[in-house]
Structure formats: structure tokens, C-alpha cells
Amino acid sequence: MAFMSILTAKDLCKSYGSGESMVKAIDHVSLSVESGEFVAVVGSSGSGKSTLLNMLGGLDTPTSGEVTVSGSDIFKMDDEKRTIFRRRNIGFVFQNYNLVPVLNVYENIVLPIELDGTKVDEGYVRTMIKTLGLEKKVTAMPNQLSGGQQQRTAIGRAIVKNPDILLCDEPTGALDYNTSKEILKLIEDVNKKYGNTIVMVTHNDAIKNMADRVITLRDGTIRKNYLNENKIPASELEW
């Protein structure tokens, strides 16, 4: 595959406290992610995975360093501009879904479009909903859905504006084995069908096998960063 960089982090640091009580959650991390690439960020609990992902997506501010998305340094933007840029260019999928409880499936999915004040492409959204396997659930509320259906809705919301980058934080952490594999295959299909760049954080060592590249974090630093030469389809993962 021919890639070109779409996401870069340069000398990224995030610390809490000061002096002897300072905790370095992320310690001088630099990385580059290529357009269309599927990258897995792995490491044990407390290694800094989620903190790194939140800074790559502009949800959290680094103590120092920079993050560039599609050529734009997101931390040189003010809060309002960064929020708009994030909504238009970055999709997020979280472990706990984060759906709006008073909105149905369709309304949750199109929320980013409506927040942006743009017109909903009904044909595109309906096709995407069918791809997600939610065509019979469009009017269901989040509390009427299974965990897998809620995560599918969250993925739909994340990709509805066809963002350049999809950031996934433990997207299968709250799901059972079979549902986890279905969600991973769906994310894999999204990568192939829409060409979105995907960065997925996971503590599940087996999931890294479906990625193009693997980054291993420990104590807030990158210990390994390598191309996965033996990539396995999500449907064939076992753990």
C-alpha cells in the first residue's frame, strides 16, 4: 500500500502534578500514522494508551509537544476551532458507547451532521445503517439495544461525516467474545470500504494481529513500533 502521513505527534508529553509527585502519563512520544493505515496501540493498563489517543484526537491538551492532523496543528487552534475541526475530521469510538439516551439510533448517528448545520444525505445514511446491520433498529432508543447494537450505532455516528481518522478506545472492552469479533470485523470493513485511517487502543494482545502496524506503549513511552507482516483478518482472531 502507498501511504502518506495524515497524523503526526512530535515530542508529545502529558504530566500531572509537579516536583517529586509529578506523574508522566506520556513521556516524549513521537509518531506518524499514514493515510488509510490501521494502527493498533497496545499496552497494559496505565501505560498511557487512552491519554495518548485523547491527545491525538484533541480531546485532551498536552503539557508540551504538537499534534498535526491533515496538515493542521490542532493545538494552535482555539477551543472553538478545534471542536469544529475535530467534528469534521476525526471520529471517535469509545468503550462505553457514549450515545445520547434521549435520541434514537438514527438521531444518534446523524447528530454530528446536525451539530454542523449541514444537510443530511438520507441515501448515504440509510446505506450506512444497512451496512451496520441496524436497518430494523433506526427508531429504537439506546436502552432498547444490545451492547453490540449500541457500539454499531456509535461507529455509525463516528463515520457518518466520513472523517479522515477514526480513533477507537477499547471498542470491544464491554462486549462478549462473539460480539467483539463482529465489531472488529465491522471496523475492519470500514477501513477497507471508506479508506478511513484507524488508530485503535486495546489491552487485548490478540487484536493487534489485525492491524497494519503495532505500537507498544509502556510507562508513557513507545517501546516498539513495527509493521505487522503477518496480518490476520478480524474473523480469524482468537483469544
Side-chain angles (χ1 to χ4, degrees):
M1 283 184 285
F3 291 128
M4 57 184 218
S5 295
I6 193 169
L7 169 65
T8 60
K10 184 178 179 182
D11 208 22
L12 207 58
C13 295
K14 181 69 176 183
S15 59
Y16 301 95
S18 60
E20 293 182 1
S21 62
M22 179 185 289
V23 175
K24 295 181 178 180
I26 294 295
D27 191 7
H28 298 283
V29 165
S30 295
L31 59 85
S32 178
V33 179
E34 310 307 316
S35 180
E37 196 175 18
F38 191 147
V39 176
V41 180
V42 299
S44 60
S45 178
S47 61
K49 304 186 304 297
S50 292
T51 301
L52 175 61
L53 197 78
N54 287 340
M55 289 193 292
L56 293 179
L59 293 176
D60 195 5
T61 306
T63 304
S64 61
E66 62 185 55
V67 174
T68 302
V69 177
S70 298
S72 299
D73 186 337
I74 62 175
F75 294 113
K76 286 185 177 177
M77 303 175 184
D78 61 33
D79 288 346
E80 182 179 1
K81 286 184 178 179
R82 186 162 59 247
T83 297
I84 293 170
F85 180 87
R86 190 170 56 227
R87 188 166 64 228
R88 292 176 178 174
N89 297 279
I90 305 171
F92 296 89
V93 180
F94 301 99
Q95 177 176 339
N96 295 321
Y97 323 130
N98 290 357
L99 299 178
V100 180
V102 296
L103 300 181
N104 65 29
V105 166
Y106 181 85
E107 292 165 339
N108 263 289
I109 287 174
V110 301
L111 183 61
I113 299 174
E114 296 188 335
L115 287 173
D116 224 18
T118 51
K119 184 173 171 45
V120 176
D121 182 338
E122 294 284 349
Y124 168 71
V125 172
R126 294 289 175 179
T127 298
M128 188 182 67
I129 286 173
K130 187 174 181 179
T131 299
L132 294 167
L134 293 169
E135 62 268 34
K136 295 181 180 179
K137 296 290 183 179
V138 288
T139 61
M141 306 302 285
N143 64 1
Q144 298 173 313
L145 304 174
S146 67
Q149 290 166 342
Q150 289 186 67
Q151 193 60 292
R152 287 173 180 272
T153 303
I155 292 170
R157 180 185 58 191
I159 66 173
V160 71
K161 291 183 68 66
N162 196 23
D164 294 332
I165 299 169
L166 186 62
L167 302 179
C168 306
D169 191 356
E170 303 279 9
T172 62
L175 304 173
D176 62 49
Y177 176 78
N178 289 328
T179 306
S180 293
K181 290 188 71 170
E182 291 176 4
I183 293 299
L184 290 171
K185 186 178 185 310
L186 179 59
I187 292 172
E188 182 180 67
D189 290 345
V190 165
N191 174 245
K192 292 177 180 177
K193 183 172 182 178
Y194 298 105
N196 311 88
T197 302
I198 296 177
V199 180
M200 181 188 296
V201 158
T202 180
H203 69 275
N204 187 333
D205 214 40
I207 292 175
K208 71 182 183 184
N209 295 314
M210 65 182 284
D212 296 309
R213 188 153 54 91
V214 180
I215 295 174
T216 302
L217 277 189
R218 185 168 50 186
D219 298 328
T221 63
I222 293 178
R223 300 304 175 97
K224 294 180 182 179
N225 185 344
Y226 61 93
L227 291 175
N228 181 14
E229 296 180 354
N230 298 301
K231 186 175 176 180
I232 299 173
S235 59
E236 296 178 17
L237 292 178
E238 292 183 3
W239 63 86

